Amino acid sequence: MRLTAKSEYGLLAVIDLACSFGSGPVSAREIAERREIPPRFLEQLFVALRRGGVVSAVRGARGGFVLTRDPAQITVLEVVESLEGSLETSVCDSERSSGCARSGACAAAPVWAKATAALRDVFATTSIAELAGNQQIMDASAPGKR
Amino acid sequence: MRLTAKSEYGLLAVIDLACSFGSGPVSAREIAERREIPPRFLEQLFVALRRGGVVSAVRGARGGFVLTRDPAQITVLEVVESLEGSLETSVCDSERSSGCARSGACAAAPVWAKATAALRDVFATTSIAELAGNQQIMDASAPGKR
DNA sequence: GCAATTATTACCGAATCAGTAGGGATTACG
DNA sequence: CGTAATCCCTACTGATTCGGTAATAATTGC
């Protein structure tokens, strides 16, 4: 299991898009400035998010990114898995050495499975809309740039 | 958040100790052979487990390691945190850049906090005794070396 | 004393992380 | 039509971590 800066930055970017949902595309550069994310790094994250079906891109001048669905229909799980890969295959790497090399006969397996399930549950039941709500409250009471 | 081979190997080793709980110390070499863990690597893990208060060492010939308490009183959380460090400080690394550099004002923070709490809960409510039960069933129905 | 065992420290190759860089393709706008 | 803005793709890089090895010292049972 790994949660890296990709998830952190990527989720913030998706939240930002949710705040502008319905107002046309937002450029990666704009989000990078507003959320203080390294711009070239963010570009890469958007590529992954597009491939994961979370955002779609509008190319050319005045282009940018748009969420593919209503923020309430997008879960944190989709964002995290687009950026980091599947959670299942990454706890205790049950994939890599073809099932811990103890495949099936690993006494610890049940607890790793429960851990993955718990994480998936948290991420799957949290929508982007929910987090965007937090963001708008914070943006309102901040030295706002928006 | 990170779960690496340390946790996998370390948990298996602690489970092995639980299976022999009450019969004196078990050497790292013996466990390494039985559970197919690289022996020198396992030695390092035992150092961390000792510092975490999970095992105590008996030095010298016929020495080895013993659980500090009854397996039912030791949780997976203790083992994992001894080996990987605190779970809290490792989801989205809320420690490193002094709180995401957005400290307090991070719209994504609640979901990371929930994720950590969910993981902690799974690990804190699973005892070593529970997993040792699995192990003994598997050892019984295997081409046993024990 | 000797053999078995843990303790400590250092080291190493490979992979991953967190970005950076350079160029190309596409499109709005004047 | 030209140009600037924007996304797209590939490659590169320095730092860190991972997974593990090695050498050596300290401790203890026999």
Side-chain angles (χ1 to χ4, degrees):
Chain A
M1 241 304 308
R2 273 187 167 66
L3 290 182
T4 69
K6 290 182 194 173
S7 291
E8 169 71 6
Y9 290 152
L11 189 52
L12 287 175
V14 170
I15 290 168
D16 190 283
L17 282 182
C19 292
S20 308
F21 187 65
S23 321
V26 184
S27 75
R29 188 180 50 74
E30 191 181 337
I31 295 178
E33 279 173 17
R34 186 160 45 222
R35 304 301 170 192
E36 302 179 62
I37 301 171
R40 306 302 296 273
F41 194 41
L42 181 58
E43 254 188 276
Q44 294 189 335
L45 302 182
F46 270 123
V47 171
L49 288 168
R50 180 174 52 81
R51 290 183 177 145
V54 173
V55 306
S56 55
V58 178
R59 302 183 63 163
R62 294 302 203 81
F65 296 93
V66 192
L67 296 181
T68 55
R69 278 158 289 153
D70 187 276
Q73 305 304 317
I74 301 179
T75 68
V76 174
L77 182 62
E78 290 179 74
V79 174
V80 170
E81 291 204 324
S82 297
L83 294 167
E84 313 270 8
S86 169
L87 285 182
E88 261 104 306
T89 66
S90 57
V91 171
C92 159
D93 253 349
S94 36
E95 205 82 332
R96 194 179 47 191
S97 43
S98 64
C100 301
R102 287 164 191 80
S103 47
C106 171
V111 70
W112 303 133
K114 273 201 290 180
T116 304
L119 266 190
R120 279 186 66 88
D121 185 59
V122 168
F123 292 152
T125 58
T126 306
S127 75
I128 298 304
E130 200 178 321
L131 300 178
N134 298 342
Q135 185 69 68
Q136 279 168 335
I137 291 167
M138 294 190 316
D139 286 349
S141 65
K145 303 174 185 176
R146 184 181 281 267
Chain B
M1 242 304 307
R2 271 187 168 66
L3 290 182
T4 68
K6 290 182 194 173
S7 290
E8 169 72 7
Y9 290 152
L11 188 53
L12 287 175
V14 170
I15 290 169
D16 190 282
L17 282 182
C19 292
S20 309
F21 188 65
S23 322
V26 184
S27 74
R29 188 180 49 74
E30 190 181 337
I31 295 178
E33 280 173 15
R34 185 160 44 223
R35 305 301 171 192
E36 301 180 63
I37 300 171
R40 310 301 297 268
F41 194 42
L42 180 58
E43 258 186 272
Q44 294 188 334
L45 303 183
F46 270 122
V47 170
L49 288 169
R50 179 174 54 80
R51 291 186 176 144
V54 173
V55 306
S56 54
V58 180
R59 301 181 64 160
R62 293 302 201 83
F65 296 91
V66 192
L67 296 181
T68 56
R69 277 158 290 152
D70 187 277
Q73 304 304 317
I74 302 178
T75 67
V76 174
L77 181 63
E78 291 179 75
V79 174
V80 170
E81 291 202 325
S82 297
L83 295 166
E84 313 269 9
S86 167
L87 285 182
E88 262 104 306
T89 66
S90 57
V91 170
C92 161
D93 252 348
S94 34
E95 206 80 334
R96 195 179 45 191
S97 42
S98 64
C100 300
R102 288 163 190 80
S103 49
C106 172
V111 71
W112 303 133
K114 273 200 291 180
T116 304
L119 266 189
R120 280 185 65 88
D121 185 61
V122 168
F123 291 152
T125 58
T126 306
S127 75
I128 298 304
E130 200 177 321
L131 300 179
N134 299 342
Q135 187 69 68
Q136 279 167 333
I137 291 168
M138 295 190 316
D139 286 349
S141 64
K145 303 175 186 176
R146 182 181 283 268

